[in-house]
Amino acid sequence: MSRNAKINTLLLLLVAALAVIPLALGLGDGKEEPFTGADAQAEAAITELKPDYEPWFAPLYEPPSGEVESALFALQAALGAGVLAYYFGVRKGRRQGAAQALARAAAGAPEAAGAPEAEEAGRTGPARES
Amino acid sequence: MHIAEGFLPPLHAAAWGAASAPFVVHGVRALTREVKANPESTLLLGASGAFTFVLSALKIPSVTGSCSHPTGTGLGAILFRPPIMAVLGTITLLFQALLLAHGGLTTLGANVFSMAIAGPWAGYGVYRLLRKAGAPLMVTVFFGAFFADLVTYCVTSVQLALAFPDPASGFLGSLEKFAGIFALTQIPLAVSEGLLTVLVMRLLMQSSTSDLVRLGVAKLTGGKQAKPEAAL
């Protein structure tokens, strides 16, 4: 694994650890419903501060069940992840295309001595594209 | 962090809507200008919006024994400046309000103000300050994203405390309560968001150096710019 990939993996592991530690340590143990949303807690706090407060508007559409809600949240994450993956895919494709074009141009060049230099240019090429 | 539908008194809802509207209108103008001037930005704009989409869908357990989600607005604010993030954040909030009953239309103004305006501006401000102070790029990115996330939730706490002051201890007592729910929960999540934003910025350094240079995030440093290690 390259140094870059190692650092990236480490970053992801740290994020995963931050999410798992509260669960592993049982930090929600004292609660009636551990690990509910902070939004729901805020709603409870509002009702505590102002018991007679009634929400004056209801959502136009409400997912009929927790499962459907999870599905829609997953859809949101998937849409975002898809677009991000598409972005990085396009960039990678362009870089590889540019590198190949340069390599082909280098292979077509008559002087053999010129080739390694052109290959070198191919590697730093992406920085100069667009 | 979204204030649920109907949970802000009408007057407050209207006031936050009025406060947010100019930022969003200005953002739409900035966005169209950017796309016209640099059509090649469109793809990265989409990716920045997508990052917000992913992160605000992830409900992550936190130290307070409850779950909350990051915002993902720091990245776009650093790349394209905060006005554009006001638009991308609003789109995300609209999606969640309309399809997920998460947040709401009456509270949209308040939620836009915290997540799409205050957070991005705070994050961008921290990022600029640290850059001026000469901090390494990835450090500035981490703290930019960290504060964009955390400030969002602090503003939400203020918004709720203003609307629902404690009968005994008033605004401050109520603020303590809401900050205990939102801001405290958010600290580890803001760290996570900082780390994820650094990760994406590292990938961008590898794949899109030219874009980052054009946007003024990365500098050309004589051929070394393709190596993200140089920036760490």
Side-chain angles (χ1 to χ4, degrees):
Chain A
M1 215 170 12
S2 74
R3 180 165 176 256
N4 248 331
K6 271 186 199 151
I7 296 175
N8 291 347
T9 313
L10 182 73
L11 286 169
L12 281 174
L13 284 176
L14 276 172
V15 172
L18 275 170
V20 172
I21 287 169
L23 293 173
L25 293 180
L27 291 173
D29 282 357
K31 309 217 167 196
E32 264 174 54
E33 284 181 272
F35 296 109
T36 50
D39 299 16
Q41 286 186 7
E43 281 171 36
I46 290 170
T47 334
E48 224 174 272
L49 286 165
K50 210 170 179 187
D52 57 338
Y53 186 81
E54 287 285 332
W56 55 281
F57 199 82
L60 300 177
Y61 168 79
E62 209 158 349
S65 73
E67 280 70 19
V68 176
E69 194 189 351
S70 305
L72 287 168
F73 265 107
L75 176 72
Q76 186 191 335
L79 279 174
V83 171
L84 273 176
Y86 174 78
Y87 174 82
F88 284 111
V90 166
R91 300 304 309 207
K92 186 165 188 185
R94 274 194 204 154
R95 250 186 324 161
Q96 284 175 345
Q100 270 170 11
L102 273 161
R104 229 175 286 132
E111 302 99 328
E117 212 177 271
E119 241 177 76
E120 187 62 37
R123 236 175 278 138
T124 51
R128 277 189 244 140
E129 107 198 72
S130 88
Chain B
M1 116 280 155
H2 311 329
I3 301 173
E5 186 75 282
F7 267 90
L8 270 187
L11 196 65
H12 285 254
W16 288 113
S20 295
F23 286 93
V24 178
V25 171
H26 174 232
V28 171
R29 281 207 197 122
L31 183 66
T32 38
R33 225 180 10 243
E34 171 70 24
V35 171
K36 252 190 210 147
N38 301 302
E40 68 270 30
S41 278
T42 318
L43 207 53
L44 189 55
L45 277 166
S48 306
F51 187 65
T52 303
F53 242 65
V54 182
L55 261 64
S56 59
L58 298 178
K59 295 187 180 177
I60 302 173
S62 177
V63 286
T64 47
S66 57
C67 282
S68 187
H69 60 80
T71 62
T73 55
L75 179 74
I78 290 170
L79 288 175
F80 291 105
R81 304 193 69 254
I84 284 178
M85 210 54 235
V87 185
L88 301 180
T90 303
I91 294 170
T92 312
L93 284 165
L94 264 176
F95 179 94
Q96 294 194 317
L98 290 174
L99 282 178
L100 299 164
H102 189 61
L105 293 177
T106 60
T107 52
L108 186 67
N111 290 331
V112 164
F113 195 87
S114 63
M115 184 180 126
I117 297 165
W121 272 107
Y124 182 73
V126 169
Y127 159 79
R128 293 293 308 182
L129 274 177
L130 286 173
R131 285 216 85 172
K132 275 218 174 106
L137 177 63
M138 290 305 162
V139 172
T140 64
V141 168
F142 175 84
F143 283 105
F146 177 88
F147 280 103
D149 183 312
L150 195 62
V151 166
T152 298
Y153 285 81
C154 293
V155 171
T156 302
S157 305
V158 169
Q159 288 170 332
L160 284 174
L162 281 172
F164 303 99
D166 192 283
S169 49
F171 167 76
L172 284 177
S174 180
L175 180 62
E176 203 183 318
K177 195 168 204 163
F178 287 115
I181 293 171
F182 284 120
L184 210 58
T185 306
Q186 204 59 28
I187 290 170
L189 297 190
V191 173
S192 293
E193 169 154 4
L195 294 173
L196 285 171
T197 309
V198 166
L199 175 69
V200 171
M201 195 62 91
R202 287 173 54 82
L203 295 174
L204 288 175
M205 289 291 280
Q206 288 159 33
S207 72
S208 325
T209 326
S210 55
D211 279 344
L212 294 187
V213 170
R214 180 172 50 76
L215 293 167
V217 175
K219 280 193 197 90
L220 278 167
T221 48
K224 265 198 166 176
Q225 77 278 17
K227 286 190 184 168
E229 289 98 319
L232 268 173

